[in-house]
């Protein structure tokens, strides 16, 4: 089974600043996918960004980017120019070819005005 | 597209009662997943279906839980009898293709068992 570890239960950042959320995972698969999901107070799970393990280039999506270190099995999320609407729980997840999602325990991010 | 639809959004019931949660996946998605989210255990996969067939139910906590998918557009998760420790948010998600695509989540059902 895969495991996903998020070692930061809570984080805060000043509005307009940059913050990085950490995630490590453990898998024996060669082909897998990694995701960051955002869960605001509304509870809706929203996909933030997606990374294919076979791609060396780090995924970016507007203000969101990842630092994917395959050898280290690390997949951190960087949020630039933080906005108040970024306040949410952020979940790191891995997906293997067996279609099993494995979620981390989440990081609660608060953006401070 | 309306996205994944779940009902009810909130459910409060007494211990021992039967609870049925409902889900309508995104049209054309072949995979449907049921998750439970609690503060203590985070997000847990309970069961998932492919083309209406249950593939892996190893996450179903016990026999009190059952899930069905009678057709491609509807699934239910039933708890009978319910217990206070079943209180959680239950998410349904769907995905078009195995192994490569993100899952699209519904808004969740917050279940409270008193």
């Amino acid at each position: 089974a895969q495991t996903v570890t998020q070692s930061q239960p809570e984080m805060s950042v000043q509005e307009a600043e940059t913050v990085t959320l950490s995630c490590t995972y453990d898998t024996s698969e060669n082909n897998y996918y990694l995701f960051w999901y955002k869960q605001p107070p509304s509870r809706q799970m929203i996909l933030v960004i997606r990374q294919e393990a076979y791609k060396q280039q780090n995924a970016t999506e507007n203000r969101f980017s990842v630092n994917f270190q395959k050898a280290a099995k690390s997949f951190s999320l960087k949020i630039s120019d933080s906005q108040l609407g970024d306040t949410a729980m952020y979940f790191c997840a891995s997906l293997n070819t067996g279609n099993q999602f494995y979620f981390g325990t989440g990081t609660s991010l608060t953006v401070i005005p | 597209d309306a996205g994944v639809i779940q009902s009810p959004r909130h459910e409060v019931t007494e211990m021992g009662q039967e609870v049925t949660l409902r889900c309508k996946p995104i049209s054309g998605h072949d995979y449907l997943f049921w998750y439970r989210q609690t503060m203590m255990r985070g997000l847990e996969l309970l069961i998932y279906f492919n083309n209406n067939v249950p593939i892996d139910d190893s996450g179903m906590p016990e026999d009190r839980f059952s899930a069905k998918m009678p057709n491609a557009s509807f699934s239910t998760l039933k708890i009978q009898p319910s217990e206070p420790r079943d209180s959680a948010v239950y998410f349904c998600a769907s995905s078009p293709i195995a192994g490569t695509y993100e899952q699209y989540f519904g808004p969740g059902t917050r279940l409270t068992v008193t």
Side-chain angles (χ1 to χ4, degrees):
Chain A
Q2 295 182 336
T3 58
V4 177
T5 303
Q6 293 179 250
S7 58
Q8 305 153 315
E10 296 180 354
M11 293 192 72
S12 62
V13 62
Q14 288 292 137
E15 193 176 4
E17 297 296 309
T18 296
V19 64
T20 299
L21 309 183
S22 301
C23 173
T24 58
Y25 60 94
D26 185 20
T27 179
S28 58
E29 304 239 347
N30 290 320
N31 190 23
Y32 55 91
Y33 300 80
L34 299 166
F35 303 85
W36 279 96
Y37 277 89
K38 168 185 176 181
Q39 187 180 36
S42 67
R43 282 203 325 255
Q44 180 73 51
M45 292 284 281
I46 303 165
L47 177 68
V48 174
I49 199 163
R50 170 176 177 262
Q51 174 82 42
E52 293 90 341
Y54 62 85
K55 288 187 177 179
Q56 291 186 341
Q57 186 174 5
N58 290 326
T60 62
E61 193 71 39
N62 299 317
R63 298 183 295 107
F64 299 87
S65 62
V66 298
N67 183 5
F68 174 46
Q69 302 289 327
K70 190 172 183 178
K73 295 183 179 177
S74 171
F75 183 60
S76 61
L77 174 70
K78 185 171 81 171
I79 306 174
S80 304
D81 186 24
S82 298
Q83 300 176 359
L84 297 179
D86 296 333
T87 293
M89 282 288 288
Y90 287 82
F91 293 93
C92 178
S94 68
L95 174 66
N96 63 18
T97 52
N99 209 38
Q100 286 271 11
F101 253 73
Y102 297 88
F103 284 88
T105 51
T107 297
S108 177
L109 175 68
T110 300
V111 179
I112 302 168
Chain B
D1 196 321
V4 176
I5 299 172
Q6 289 186 250
S7 65
R9 292 294 305 275
H10 304 272
E11 177 79 33
V12 180
T13 190
E14 292 184 348
M15 182 174 63
Q17 296 299 307
E18 177 180 294
V19 175
T20 300
L21 310 182
R22 297 173 176 80
C23 175
K24 176 177 168 45
I26 294 173
S27 177
H29 283 195
D30 292 334
Y31 288 81
L32 184 139
F33 305 81
W34 281 102
Y35 290 91
R36 178 173 67 177
Q37 185 180 34
T38 62
M39 290 292 292
M40 292 296 293
R41 302 173 69 93
L43 268 163
E44 301 173 277
L45 176 65
L46 300 177
I47 186 172
Y48 80 92
F49 295 82
N50 179 22
N51 291 323
N52 314 337
V53 176
I55 302 301
D56 185 350
D57 65 354
S58 59
M60 296 286 263
E62 47 197 279
D63 292 344
R64 297 184 297 106
F65 286 69
S66 62
K68 294 182 179 180
M69 192 165 185
N71 57 62
S73 59
F74 184 65
S75 177
T76 59
L77 177 67
K78 185 177 294 186
I79 308 172
Q80 166 63 20
S82 58
E83 297 182 3
R85 60 194 169 114
D86 300 331
S87 297
V89 179
Y90 291 82
F91 285 99
C92 175
S94 69
S95 175
I97 298 173
T100 62
Y101 275 70
E102 62 268 23
Q103 296 176 9
Y104 297 81
F105 284 77
T109 294
R110 180 178 293 280
L111 173 64
T112 303
V113 183
T114 60

